[in-house]
Amino acid sequence: MNTTDGNEMTSEQVAIANNKGWKAFVHDGYVDEFRETAGYWLIDERNFPDENFREYLADYGFYCVSAITMEEINDMDELCVEGAGVKDFTGVELFTEVSKILVSSNELTSLDLSHNKKVSYLDVSNNYIKSTEMTKLIASLPTLQANTGRLTVRGRCDQNEFTDTHLAQAKAKGWVPYVFESGEWIEFTSAGSVATGISDISADKSQDDNWYTLDGRQLNEAPTHPGLYIRDGKKVQVK
């Protein structure tokens, strides 16, 4: 059985054909020959509705610009689609073997990774994922061993919403959220005092010893701007 670019044959259909004594082949444009395949997916509007996502896949370097074979999908450990203007990431569910997904600086308002069971590194910074959809995204992530997953949620110019509730939800599934602050990526610890159990402490601003920012930078004097700081190893909220 020789399949061409205009056809599509999934792995399930290949299995049915194999059971009936047939083998499936696709044309390899690089060496101009046919080779056996376990199935493939067309890069079209039905499988990948977002035009920018399709353009990324077409330019990726697969054997065929109009289709992805199951072998190619299974060989991918990382899916990096950054700064591509993607609004809809439908089709990501096909990439079940990837452990790292990088989709920062796009126009995503939602993301479902419930089929990507091997993912342990996810970067969705600089998108537009609001609170409810962020909750759904975290719920779709695989549950990992404690603190083994990395979830990058906020970058330099970010419209994502990530709260203390999301922090607790992510940590419960083994994911550690990161944000970009003071020129570096740091672990997200709290958006406020509610989820962390920090009570409203009125700091004595006359003291000038052992004050630090959350990223560990020591201050020369007691902070004068409202926010969360560290003093003597404890988080303190300055009003």
Side-chain angles (χ1 to χ4, degrees):
M1 179 186 295
N2 295 336
T3 56
T4 63
D5 289 347
N7 298 324
E8 178 172 276
M9 194 171 196
T10 66
S11 57
E12 291 81 4
Q13 292 168 335
V14 171
I16 294 174
N18 289 342
N19 288 335
K20 301 190 73 171
W22 293 80
K23 292 184 178 181
F25 289 81
V26 293
H27 184 261
D28 186 338
Y30 286 104
V31 295
D32 194 24
E33 66 181 29
F34 284 93
R35 59 188 182 83
E36 189 174 353
T37 181
Y40 66 99
W41 298 88
L42 293 178
I43 303 175
D44 60 11
E45 293 183 11
R46 181 167 59 89
N47 293 322
F48 305 96
D50 190 281
E51 181 179 1
N52 291 325
F53 192 16
R54 293 199 303 274
E55 288 183 0
Y56 162 83
L57 294 173
D59 294 338
Y60 186 82
F62 296 120
Y63 289 116
C64 178
V65 296
S66 61
I68 313 173
T69 67
M70 294 303 300
E71 292 87 351
E72 290 169 326
I73 289 176
N74 293 335
D75 284 343
M76 292 182 66
D77 180 63
E78 175 182 313
L79 184 61
C80 179
V81 192
E82 297 180 311
V86 175
K87 297 180 179 179
D88 183 353
F89 213 39
T90 298
V92 68
E93 65 274 8
L94 299 179
F95 299 89
T96 56
E97 298 299 312
V98 295
S99 62
K100 180 183 290 187
I101 295 179
L102 309 175
V103 289
S104 65
S105 302
N106 282 290
E107 300 178 30
L108 296 173
T109 57
S110 64
L111 183 60
D112 182 359
L113 298 180
S114 56
H115 292 85
N116 306 92
K117 303 298 185 182
K118 296 186 178 181
V119 172
S120 59
Y121 189 115
L122 173 63
D123 185 352
V124 293
S125 60
N126 296 323
N127 278 285
Y128 299 84
I129 305 175
K130 302 305 180 183
S131 183
T132 300
E133 291 301 326
M134 184 65 74
T135 298
K136 293 179 181 178
L137 166 58
I138 298 172
S140 75
L141 295 176
T143 299
L144 308 174
Q145 294 183 353
N147 302 323
T148 58
R150 177 175 176 129
L151 173 60
T152 306
V153 292
R154 285 182 184 166
R156 292 178 180 271
C157 304
D158 217 303
Q159 298 297 320
N160 289 336
E161 292 181 359
F162 197 85
T163 66
D164 292 329
T165 300
H166 297 127
L167 170 63
Q169 183 186 11
K171 295 285 283 186
K173 302 195 72 172
W175 290 78
V176 180
Y178 283 81
V179 296
F180 191 84
E181 289 186 9
S182 303
E184 62 180 338
W185 292 102
I186 63 172
E187 182 177 343
F188 181 92
T189 55
S190 176
S193 61
V194 177
T196 61
I198 301 173
S199 58
D200 291 336
I201 301 174
S202 297
D204 181 357
K205 298 181 182 180
S206 64
Q207 299 182 36
D208 62 357
D209 58 332
N210 298 324
W211 285 94
Y212 299 86
T213 61
L214 290 181
D215 60 0
R217 181 171 54 87
Q218 184 173 357
L219 303 178
N220 294 327
E221 58 183 9
T224 57
H225 296 288
L228 283 172
Y229 298 87
I230 297 175
R231 187 186 184 203
D232 297 329
K234 299 180 181 179
K235 290 180 182 177
V236 179
Q237 184 176 30
V238 173
K239 295 183 176 181

